[in-house]
Amino acid sequence: MSTTTPLTSTLPNPRSQFLIRPLHFSDISALAALAQAAFEPLPLTSYLHPHIHDSPASEARNLRWLRHSFRRRVLDPKYESFAAVVASSQHGKGEEEVVGLTQFYRTGDADRKNGGVRRQVEARERPWSVIGLYLKARRLMWEVWMRVNEWIWPNLGMDQETEKTFVKAVVADEKEFWEANERYKERWHVQSVVVGVEWQRQGVGKLLMQEVLERAKKEGVCVGVEASKEGEGLYRKCGFGLLGRFELIVPGAEPDDGGVMVWEPWSQEEEEEQQRDA
């Protein structure tokens, strides 16, 4: 279940204020701090990270864990990562302030020739080229560094037993909602949408979602997401429908808080056709 931050657009033209661009490695530290603040009120955060505020070291290591999570996805060729930025006069002319991010990945049969996963990986990594070999080597070196780092300084805020329960529930939801339906196996899947607390409800989330929806529409595939209670409103405004509620109800949450959602291109086409006929 991805944890997502709520966004509803109140700007008449949010594109005039915000810019969506590829996420840079230099953005990750600032985005981890935004994510920690945005995720803190969510019941899932209290469930998975009950000891996050026990000490300054716990908070610092949770930030490191978030940085590593974002970094792994940036390096993974199945993923696309984008940042929302806004010009900041506080830092001088021409500089940007990072206010949000989205990370989503391609699913499907990785061995299928001309399949979506293979096309995505080849576009990102350019296999058997000098650049491709460099990118693979860089990803391997970063992974070794992060694993050693996590072994020396584990995340003190996370509860290992609740994490195992959570992972088990995620696997069960995956089987029920995605693997059981053949047409959902080839899709883009939203791992995370994060917007800084002070930038919420200004259209940033909807703007970030356009990146994955445009790709899915072009390829004729679905988009999946596990939405929090707060994020569900954003996804519905983007055209998502609810497939079902989560198997695991964490303490502090209600049975109808969020769930597994899907955006289907054929549903959008039917809706557009009905609007033209009306």
Side-chain angles (χ1 to χ4, degrees):
M1 304 170 200
S2 67
T3 48
T4 54
T5 305
L7 251 295
T8 55
S9 177
T10 57
L11 292 179
N13 183 15
R15 290 185 182 275
S16 64
Q17 182 177 0
F18 301 106
L19 171 69
I20 307 300
R21 62 157 172 76
L23 191 151
H24 303 155
F25 254 49
S26 58
D27 300 328
I28 290 176
S29 292
L31 287 168
L34 289 180
Q36 183 157 284
F39 293 161
E40 185 172 4
L42 302 179
L44 183 59
T45 301
S46 300
Y47 178 72
L48 289 175
H49 305 270
H51 311 297
I52 188 173
H53 297 303
D54 286 0
S55 69
S58 295
E59 294 185 13
R61 293 188 186 184
N62 187 69
L63 270 175
R64 182 184 293 116
W65 175 79
L66 285 168
R67 290 196 298 269
H68 288 186
S69 297
F70 293 152
R71 189 174 288 120
R72 281 189 170 98
R73 296 168 198 159
V74 171
L75 293 169
D76 189 330
K78 294 190 297 295
Y79 274 83
E80 293 288 348
S81 302
F82 290 88
V85 300
V86 63
S88 176
S89 58
Q90 297 177 355
H91 304 299
K93 184 178 180 181
E95 295 194 19
E96 299 173 331
E97 181 176 357
V98 182
V99 301
L101 78 93
T102 183
Q103 294 184 302
F104 48 90
Y105 61 95
R106 191 63 161 82
T107 72
D109 184 356
D111 297 323
R112 185 164 66 90
K113 188 176 181 180
N114 297 322
V117 175
R118 178 173 289 190
R119 288 198 308 270
Q120 171 65 15
V121 171
E122 290 179 350
R124 282 285 311 276
E125 281 207 326
R126 304 178 193 177
W128 314 119
S129 68
V130 174
I131 294 177
L133 293 174
Y134 162 74
L135 292 174
K136 289 180 180 179
R138 185 183 71 156
R139 188 171 76 248
L140 177 61
M141 288 187 292
W142 268 109
E143 185 60 33
V144 170
W145 180 86
M146 288 187 288
R147 286 183 180 272
V148 171
N149 195 281
E150 290 161 357
W151 179 72
I152 298 174
W153 297 287
N155 187 351
L156 300 176
M158 182 175 285
D159 185 287
Q160 300 299 321
E161 291 305 314
T162 57
E163 182 188 20
K164 291 177 183 177
T165 302
F166 174 73
V167 171
K168 184 178 179 180
V170 169
V171 172
D173 287 339
E174 174 79 20
K175 290 180 178 178
E176 178 180 358
F177 297 112
W178 303 121
E179 293 182 11
N181 194 320
E182 192 66 31
R183 66 179 181 178
Y184 292 159
K185 291 182 179 180
E186 289 282 341
R187 70 182 188 279
W188 284 98
H189 200 93
V190 179
Q191 179 70 41
S192 189
V193 177
V194 180
V195 178
V197 175
E198 65 179 293
W199 297 100
Q200 294 180 14
R201 302 190 181 279
Q202 298 184 52
V204 183
K206 197 169 184 180
L207 204 55
L208 284 164
M209 286 300 298
Q210 292 307 307
E211 293 296 332
V212 64
L213 294 180
E214 288 173 5
R215 282 171 171 73
K217 190 172 184 178
K218 182 178 179 181
E219 296 178 23
V221 297
C222 297
V223 180
V225 67
E226 285 78 35
S228 65
K229 174 185 176 181
E230 296 80 3
E232 185 176 340
L234 165 65
Y235 299 122
R236 287 191 182 278
K237 291 184 178 182
C238 292
F240 283 74
L242 183 69
L243 288 178
R245 300 299 181 182
F246 297 129
E247 174 177 291
L248 176 66
I249 309 301
V250 302
E254 299 295 331
D256 59 349
D257 285 357
V260 180
M261 305 187 73
V262 66
W263 178 94
E264 300 175 324
W266 40 86
S267 297
Q268 301 302 311
E269 292 171 1
E270 291 174 2
E271 183 178 339
E272 291 172 2
E273 185 176 347
Q274 290 174 359
Q275 291 175 351
R276 287 194 298 268
D277 294 341

